[in-house]
Amino acid sequence: MADWDAYYRNEDDEVEQEEGEESAGDYKYSGRDSLVFLVDASKEMFVKGEDGEPSNFDMTMQCVRSVYTSKIISSDKDLVALVFYGTEQSKNPRNSFKHVYVYHDLDSPGARRVQDIDSLRGEKGAQLAAETMGSGETSLGDALWCCSNLYSDIKLRLSHKRLMIFTCRDDPHGGDGTQDRQARTKAADLKETGVVIDLMHLTKPGGFDVSLFFCDVVSPPEDDSELGLQLEPCGKLEDLQKRVRAKEMKKRAQSRLTFSMGEGMNIAVGLYVLARTATKPPAVRLYRETNEPVRTKTRLFHTQNGSLLLPSDTKRAQVYGNKQIVMEKDEVDEIKKFDDPGLVLMGFKPMDRLKLHHHVRPTLFVYPEEDQVTGNSCVFTALLQKCSEKNVFALCKYTPRRNSPPRFVALVPQREVLDGQVQAVPPGFHAIFLPYADDIRTLDVHECPTASDEQVQKMKEIVHKLRFKYRSDAFENPVLQQHYRNLEALALDMLAPEAIEDFTMPKVQMMDERLGPLVQEFKDLVYPADYNPEGKTAVKRKPAEAGGGADKKPKVEISEDELRAHMQKGTLGKLTVPVLKDACKQFGVRTTGTKKQELIDALIAQLST
């Protein structure tokens, strides 16, 4: 008979599933992401910048490499391709297009591809590119046609298709109207098939005029939060990487639910995960002879005759009050179902009722889904404005999925913030998970000696000197960074992993310069004059009176009458595992396992006879 815990998922597991998986029911993007880098290989791309700055081609290769490595870590199932146009040599399927060089087909990124990109960086990389591909005539229409064939040759289901053009030439065809029309026509065909075309234009002497040609080629913004077409070209690697990162990842909703505001008033919203814990990927079991991943399958067998059990042959059980309650699978499903998935508005509360200790896990971001129901944005915006004006939050009941327990969430409004013409903060609600009464603990605070007013004032001065503006994205996890550096070194056959900088370590020299004599003044106020923290020695352990060893805790023996009393009251579960093991040895009970419930069952069977 299956254990209840093996079927009924713990709430912590539900949290992990919500953070790590996307809802499969209403999720309209199911498949792999794909990204094609279409890079200009003309001579202008290889011209070095002023003051020894890298060329546009070198910056592009560094950016492509960073995307490859990030894809390997975050989403290795996505497909990436690298295509050069304006080359002298041609290399593409069936060599149908001249001056187009497919360097990498549309496939998952790997260590070999990263090594290929590294060979194209720097001066040696420019020489290798000139020898391998060269620079020739330009036909952007043929290059777009070749990229279209790359997508059509893929048999996998693609959820999002994106094409990025890297160039420093605002008029690639030199005023040739026929080739311009051909490129615009092919770009329109690509956009009709769902391919999003972005322009990552680089600096050129005299400035880059987007209106000459590329304004008719690139795709419009997919939603209000998209950056859209940037008029200013990228002159630095950091700016180029920032734009590519903003475009390469498709913003996906964790789930799409119905937000019920009352009888007859329902809107569709999407829930997005803004922050989640970054962890090391789990280890993959491989077959020792072929290094292929192995699959784990679970089978249930009868303990007496060894026959294979079907799912219909098993039931679920829960021991409560010394009784085994047996349920069918349908009954367990009925118990687990509280409500249909969705958000239900319960009321409104002032913002001061929301306390800091109510934040028990990372929040979700709620945004309207205009594609599903027309008019969602108007109702959502009206609710957002009123909550923000009245300084209140909306209290809602949130059921993430079927057979999941409901949670109460506080929808805190967030107004839109613009940085010039670019949206810095999107409008929407932050769904803060509120604790139940059972989740809040009352702690007994021990009395400690209180500091004097002079000591408190001196510490305030120290804290004021050490204050700085904290940004969470400025601190990378050093353990994860070192882990991936080691993997990268092994995969790319590097002699040693790349060194990392641990930003979590305190900057002692800078702190000493800021504080000056404040630390010594604080020590004089708190510690006695003869206090020496470095001169203290550890207290030696006193030897035991009998044999010189440490005193052992006496064994806790329990009588048979006490055991029977616990069994009648159903309180055997309050005894610890060592006490239960000693009781089994005391009464000669043989157990097949060491779990607490197995020990309890064995004692109950012994005492019931």
Side-chain angles (χ1 to χ4, degrees), residues 586-600:
Q586 180 180 350
F587 297 107
V589 179
R590 293 186 177 181
T591 58
T592 57
T594 58
K595 292 184 178 180
K596 189 173 186 178
Q597 188 60 44
E598 295 175 350
L599 298 174
I600 292 175

PDB file of all heavy atoms in Angstrom, residues 586-600:
ATOM      1  N   GLN A 586      14.785  -3.805  23.119  1.00  0.00           N
ATOM      2  CA  GLN A 586      14.418  -4.249  24.467  1.00  0.00           C
ATOM      3  C   GLN A 586      13.387  -5.369  24.419  1.00  0.00           C
ATOM      4  O   GLN A 586      13.452  -6.332  25.207  1.00  0.00           O
ATOM      5  CB  GLN A 586      13.890  -3.047  25.258  1.00  0.00           C
ATOM      6  CG  GLN A 586      13.482  -3.371  26.683  1.00  0.00           C
ATOM      7  CD  GLN A 586      12.961  -2.140  27.413  1.00  0.00           C
ATOM      8  OE1 GLN A 586      13.088  -1.027  26.912  1.00  0.00           O
ATOM      9  NE2 GLN A 586      12.382  -2.351  28.574  1.00  0.00           N
ATOM     10  N   PHE A 587      12.436  -5.292  23.464  1.00  0.00           N
ATOM     11  CA  PHE A 587      11.373  -6.292  23.392  1.00  0.00           C
ATOM     12  C   PHE A 587      11.608  -7.297  22.274  1.00  0.00           C
ATOM     13  O   PHE A 587      10.717  -8.085  21.948  1.00  0.00           O
ATOM     14  CB  PHE A 587      10.022  -5.601  23.185  1.00  0.00           C
ATOM     15  CG  PHE A 587       9.623  -4.696  24.326  1.00  0.00           C
ATOM     16  CD1 PHE A 587       9.671  -3.328  24.182  1.00  0.00           C
ATOM     17  CD2 PHE A 587       9.223  -5.220  25.552  1.00  0.00           C
ATOM     18  CE1 PHE A 587       9.323  -2.491  25.222  1.00  0.00           C
ATOM     19  CE2 PHE A 587       8.874  -4.397  26.602  1.00  0.00           C
ATOM     20  CZ  PHE A 587       8.932  -3.011  26.447  1.00  0.00           C
ATOM     21  N   GLY A 588      12.802  -7.276  21.663  1.00  0.00           N
ATOM     22  CA  GLY A 588      13.143  -8.263  20.638  1.00  0.00           C
ATOM     23  C   GLY A 588      12.349  -8.126  19.365  1.00  0.00           C
ATOM     24  O   GLY A 588      12.009  -9.135  18.736  1.00  0.00           O
ATOM     25  N   VAL A 589      12.021  -6.903  18.963  1.00  0.00           N
ATOM     26  CA  VAL A 589      11.231  -6.674  17.752  1.00  0.00           C
ATOM     27  C   VAL A 589      12.195  -6.506  16.588  1.00  0.00           C
ATOM     28  O   VAL A 589      13.112  -5.677  16.642  1.00  0.00           O
ATOM     29  CB  VAL A 589      10.349  -5.422  17.915  1.00  0.00           C
ATOM     30  CG1 VAL A 589       9.550  -5.174  16.625  1.00  0.00           C
ATOM     31  CG2 VAL A 589       9.414  -5.592  19.100  1.00  0.00           C
ATOM     32  N   ARG A 590      11.975  -7.287  15.545  1.00  0.00           N
ATOM     33  CA  ARG A 590      12.802  -7.169  14.347  1.00  0.00           C
ATOM     34  C   ARG A 590      12.143  -6.184  13.374  1.00  0.00           C
ATOM     35  O   ARG A 590      10.955  -6.295  13.094  1.00  0.00           O
ATOM     36  CB  ARG A 590      12.974  -8.525  13.672  1.00  0.00           C
ATOM     37  CG  ARG A 590      13.797  -9.507  14.493  1.00  0.00           C
ATOM     38  CD  ARG A 590      14.050 -10.774  13.696  1.00  0.00           C
ATOM     39  NE  ARG A 590      14.895 -11.707  14.430  1.00  0.00           N
ATOM     40  CZ  ARG A 590      15.285 -12.886  13.962  1.00  0.00           C
ATOM     41  NH1 ARG A 590      14.896 -13.271  12.743  1.00  0.00           N
ATOM     42  NH2 ARG A 590      16.060 -13.666  14.689  1.00  0.00           N
ATOM     43  N   THR A 591      12.928  -5.251  12.869  1.00  0.00           N
ATOM     44  CA  THR A 591      12.415  -4.245  11.926  1.00  0.00           C
ATOM     45  C   THR A 591      13.168  -4.369  10.613  1.00  0.00           C
ATOM     46  O   THR A 591      14.352  -4.697  10.572  1.00  0.00           O
ATOM     47  CB  THR A 591      12.608  -2.829  12.490  1.00  0.00           C
ATOM     48  OG1 THR A 591      13.987  -2.608  12.760  1.00  0.00           O
ATOM     49  CG2 THR A 591      11.811  -2.646  13.766  1.00  0.00           C
ATOM     50  N   THR A 592      12.443  -4.071   9.523  1.00  0.00           N
ATOM     51  CA  THR A 592      13.052  -4.133   8.183  1.00  0.00           C
ATOM     52  C   THR A 592      13.617  -2.796   7.746  1.00  0.00           C
ATOM     53  O   THR A 592      14.355  -2.731   6.769  1.00  0.00           O
ATOM     54  CB  THR A 592      12.005  -4.589   7.151  1.00  0.00           C
ATOM     55  OG1 THR A 592      10.889  -3.677   7.185  1.00  0.00           O
ATOM     56  CG2 THR A 592      11.523  -5.991   7.461  1.00  0.00           C
ATOM     57  N   GLY A 593      13.304  -1.730   8.422  1.00  0.00           N
ATOM     58  CA  GLY A 593      13.788  -0.403   8.044  1.00  0.00           C
ATOM     59  C   GLY A 593      14.109   0.419   9.267  1.00  0.00           C
ATOM     60  O   GLY A 593      13.979  -0.029  10.419  1.00  0.00           O
ATOM     61  N   THR A 594      14.541   1.642   9.044  1.00  0.00           N
ATOM     62  CA  THR A 594      14.925   2.529  10.148  1.00  0.00           C
ATOM     63  C   THR A 594      14.072   3.788  10.198  1.00  0.00           C
ATOM     64  O   THR A 594      14.363   4.688  10.967  1.00  0.00           O
ATOM     65  CB  THR A 594      16.401   2.938   9.989  1.00  0.00           C
ATOM     66  OG1 THR A 594      16.576   3.575   8.719  1.00  0.00           O
ATOM     67  CG2 THR A 594      17.318   1.733  10.088  1.00  0.00           C
ATOM     68  N   LYS A 595      13.034   3.867   9.365  1.00  0.00           N
ATOM     69  CA  LYS A 595      12.167   5.038   9.407  1.00  0.00           C
ATOM     70  C   LYS A 595      11.289   4.996  10.649  1.00  0.00           C
ATOM     71  O   LYS A 595      10.986   3.932  11.196  1.00  0.00           O
ATOM     72  CB  LYS A 595      11.303   5.124   8.154  1.00  0.00           C
ATOM     73  CG  LYS A 595      12.098   5.424   6.890  1.00  0.00           C
ATOM     74  CD  LYS A 595      11.175   5.594   5.705  1.00  0.00           C
ATOM     75  CE  LYS A 595      11.957   5.933   4.446  1.00  0.00           C
ATOM     76  NZ  LYS A 595      11.070   6.102   3.277  1.00  0.00           N
ATOM     77  N   LYS A 596      10.878   6.171  11.074  1.00  0.00           N
ATOM     78  CA  LYS A 596      10.120   6.280  12.315  1.00  0.00           C
ATOM     79  C   LYS A 596       8.797   5.542  12.220  1.00  0.00           C
ATOM     80  O   LYS A 596       8.397   4.821  13.158  1.00  0.00           O
ATOM     81  CB  LYS A 596       9.887   7.767  12.626  1.00  0.00           C
ATOM     82  CG  LYS A 596       9.309   8.024  13.998  1.00  0.00           C
ATOM     83  CD  LYS A 596       9.283   9.515  14.292  1.00  0.00           C
ATOM     84  CE  LYS A 596       8.832   9.764  15.727  1.00  0.00           C
ATOM     85  NZ  LYS A 596       8.831  11.205  16.059  1.00  0.00           N
ATOM     86  N   GLN A 597       8.096   5.674  11.094  1.00  0.00           N
ATOM     87  CA  GLN A 597       6.799   5.025  10.957  1.00  0.00           C
ATOM     88  C   GLN A 597       6.950   3.512  10.941  1.00  0.00           C
ATOM     89  O   GLN A 597       6.100   2.800  11.479  1.00  0.00           O
ATOM     90  CB  GLN A 597       6.117   5.520   9.663  1.00  0.00           C
ATOM     91  CG  GLN A 597       4.682   5.069   9.507  1.00  0.00           C
ATOM     92  CD  GLN A 597       3.785   5.557  10.631  1.00  0.00           C
ATOM     93  OE1 GLN A 597       3.862   6.715  11.017  1.00  0.00           O
ATOM     94  NE2 GLN A 597       2.951   4.661  11.158  1.00  0.00           N
ATOM     95  N   GLU A 598       8.040   2.995  10.343  1.00  0.00           N
ATOM     96  CA  GLU A 598       8.252   1.545  10.334  1.00  0.00           C
ATOM     97  C   GLU A 598       8.518   1.021  11.734  1.00  0.00           C
ATOM     98  O   GLU A 598       8.050  -0.064  12.109  1.00  0.00           O
ATOM     99  CB  GLU A 598       9.422   1.209   9.413  1.00  0.00           C
ATOM    100  CG  GLU A 598       9.151   1.528   7.945  1.00  0.00           C
ATOM    101  CD  GLU A 598      10.373   1.304   7.091  1.00  0.00           C
ATOM    102  OE1 GLU A 598      11.459   1.099   7.680  1.00  0.00           O
ATOM    103  OE2 GLU A 598      10.261   1.336   5.844  1.00  0.00           O
ATOM    104  N   LEU A 599       9.260   1.767  12.555  1.00  0.00           N
ATOM    105  CA  LEU A 599       9.492   1.367  13.946  1.00  0.00           C
ATOM    106  C   LEU A 599       8.196   1.362  14.730  1.00  0.00           C
ATOM    107  O   LEU A 599       7.937   0.457  15.549  1.00  0.00           O
ATOM    108  CB  LEU A 599      10.523   2.302  14.593  1.00  0.00           C
ATOM    109  CG  LEU A 599      11.930   2.315  13.958  1.00  0.00           C
ATOM    110  CD1 LEU A 599      12.778   3.388  14.612  1.00  0.00           C
ATOM    111  CD2 LEU A 599      12.598   0.957  14.105  1.00  0.00           C
ATOM    112  N   ILE A 600       7.368   2.395  14.504  1.00  0.00           N
ATOM    113  CA  ILE A 600       6.085   2.475  15.221  1.00  0.00           C
ATOM    114  C   ILE A 600       5.191   1.303  14.832  1.00  0.00           C
ATOM    115  O   ILE A 600       4.550   0.667  15.690  1.00  0.00           O
ATOM    116  CB  ILE A 600       5.412   3.823  14.934  1.00  0.00           C
ATOM    117  CG1 ILE A 600       6.226   4.966  15.565  1.00  0.00           C
ATOM    118  CG2 ILE A 600       3.981   3.843  15.454  1.00  0.00           C
ATOM    119  CD1 ILE A 600       5.700   6.345  15.220  1.00  0.00           C
TER     120      ILE A 600
END
